[in-house]
Amino acid sequence: MISISLCMIVKNEEQVLSRCLDSVKDLVDEINIVDTGSGDGTVEIARAYTDRVYFFEWTGKFTDARNESFRHATKEYIIYLDADDVMLEEDRAKLKKLKNSLDPAVDSVSMYYNAGVDEFGNVTLKYRRNRLVKRSRYYRWEGDCHNYLNVYGNIINSDISITHMKIQHSVGRNLSIYEDKIARGDEFSPRDYFYYGNELRENGLYKQAIESYTKNIELKEGWVEDKVYACINRADCYHYLNDSQGEMSSLFESLCYSKTPRPEMCSRVGYIFQCKGEYESAIYWYELATSHKEDPDKWSFTYPAYSTWYPHLQLCVCYDRITNLEKAYEHNELARKFRPKDKNVLYNKELLEKKMGID
């Protein structure tokens, strides 16, 4: 059996810290918590779980704080969590099994990060991260914002998930980190341009986001998966700016990098045709989205809604518009499997049953 150090950085997390630690405390052999300046009860809560609580002056870079937390680990492997993360029961069981069976020759175990969950328990965004890493490899965090562990060696992919359950979103915090980076005259990597574009988009700065995504796409360097989603996310910005031509062009440009269409792209193209009343074309793209088979080894972003309930819900609408009520009802029922109490789904069900004479 391997031994595991949990390493965390925290600041003003009294609302969520206990929930996180309760979900993992019996699975790790050591808890290291680095506080970066809390003004609430975070430190007191942390000390109820461990005497390994440390203090680190905030430098403006998450990388510095995360590397400091790793410095205090003493066990064979390190696992890291944010305070608003949890391990659900199914994943706790999987981690316990992994801890008992992991080959010590493994340098890193990747896990899914369920970065968002809707009101029905459906994961809205997930991607892989190197989550359990061998301490003796001295892996380092890199990047000022949206940090990543620079991991290499013997890496295996697991089906374990860490679930993010945020209570509130720090609006503008990450954007300011990038703005400070610009003010210092720091050079941006392709990755920086992608994530800066994401921050600009989330803050409604669509024109600037388009510029940042375009810089990522035009650079020869950079991860191809970032370029796929730079095209798709840039299309969203064009959509918000009512530029349908730019939106469509950006969506199809994603094919230059993905080679085959992603559900996120297909569902957006379907919606463009749906809004134009071109329902047969919309149906083609929505059905293509639902036919996608998930790659369990994919590391980049996956938005499950775009291959599950969302295209089925829109297919219900499109088939209803061309008076194919049986197909409309079929797809609404498929959407209902994912969102059983969704008001739109239930309304469609009632309406279609009336039209079809179903008691």
Side-chain angles (χ1 to χ4, degrees), residues 125 146 169 171 175 178 193-213 226 229-241 268 301 303 306:
L125 168 62
H146 296 287
H169 181 60
V171 178
L175 185 61
Y178 281 114
Y193 282 122
F194 174 68
Y195 281 100
Y196 183 41
N198 288 345
E199 295 299 332
L200 290 165
R201 176 174 56 92
E202 290 178 8
N203 284 275
L205 302 171
Y206 302 122
K207 291 182 178 179
Q208 298 96 312
I210 288 171
E211 292 176 4
S212 195
Y213 286 134
D226 283 350
Y229 286 96
C231 291
I232 293 172
N233 294 349
R234 184 179 63 180
D236 286 348
C237 297
Y238 282 121
H239 174 80
Y240 293 128
L241 294 172
R268 284 168 169 83
F301 294 156
Y303 298 85
Y306 288 107

Side-chain angles (χ1 to χ4, degrees), residues 90-145:
E90 177 183 359
D91 297 302
R92 282 173 39 80
K94 290 178 181 178
L95 179 57
K96 185 175 182 179
K97 182 178 179 180
L98 177 72
K99 184 178 180 181
N100 288 318
S101 62
L102 185 65
D103 182 347
V106 170
D107 295 313
S108 174
V109 178
S110 81
M111 301 179 188
Y112 289 116
Y113 190 42
N114 294 337
V117 179
D118 69 16
E119 65 270 36
F120 303 103
N122 300 307
V123 175
T124 58
L125 168 62
K126 69 176 182 178
Y127 48 91
R128 285 195 170 277
R129 303 187 79 174
N130 284 296
R131 181 65 68 170
L132 182 72
V133 297
K134 185 178 289 186
R135 182 176 64 86
S136 62
R137 298 289 269 169
Y138 296 104
Y139 295 126
R140 301 282 294 174
W141 287 92
E142 297 185 4
D144 296 333
C145 188

Side-chain angles (χ1 to χ4, degrees), residues 298-314:
K298 179 185 176 187
W299 279 71
S300 66
F301 294 156
T302 296
Y303 298 85
Y306 288 107
S307 61
T308 57
W309 68 266
Y310 176 78
H312 285 301
L313 184 59
Q314 300 304 332

Side-chain angles (χ1 to χ4, degrees), residues 279-296:
Y279 299 115
E280 294 286 357
S281 296
I283 287 169
Y284 172 85
W285 286 101
Y286 284 135
E287 289 190 337
L288 189 58
T290 65
S291 69
H292 178 77
K293 293 183 179 179
E294 184 178 336
D295 177 4

Side-chain angles (χ1 to χ4, degrees), residues 152-202:
Y152 47 87
N154 184 8
I155 303 170
I156 64 171
N157 295 336
S158 75
D159 63 349
I160 302 170
S161 294
I162 305 296
T163 300
H164 186 60
M165 299 181 69
K166 66 182 178 183
I167 290 179
Q168 58 188 8
H169 181 60
S170 301
V171 178
R173 181 191 64 185
N174 292 340
L175 185 61
S176 66
I177 292 175
Y178 281 114
E179 290 174 343
D180 289 343
K181 189 176 175 72
I182 293 171
R184 293 194 302 268
D186 293 353
E187 183 178 354
F188 268 43
S189 67
R191 188 176 189 275
D192 286 326
Y193 282 122
F194 174 68
Y195 281 100
Y196 183 41
N198 288 345
E199 295 299 332
L200 290 165
R201 176 174 56 92
E202 290 178 8

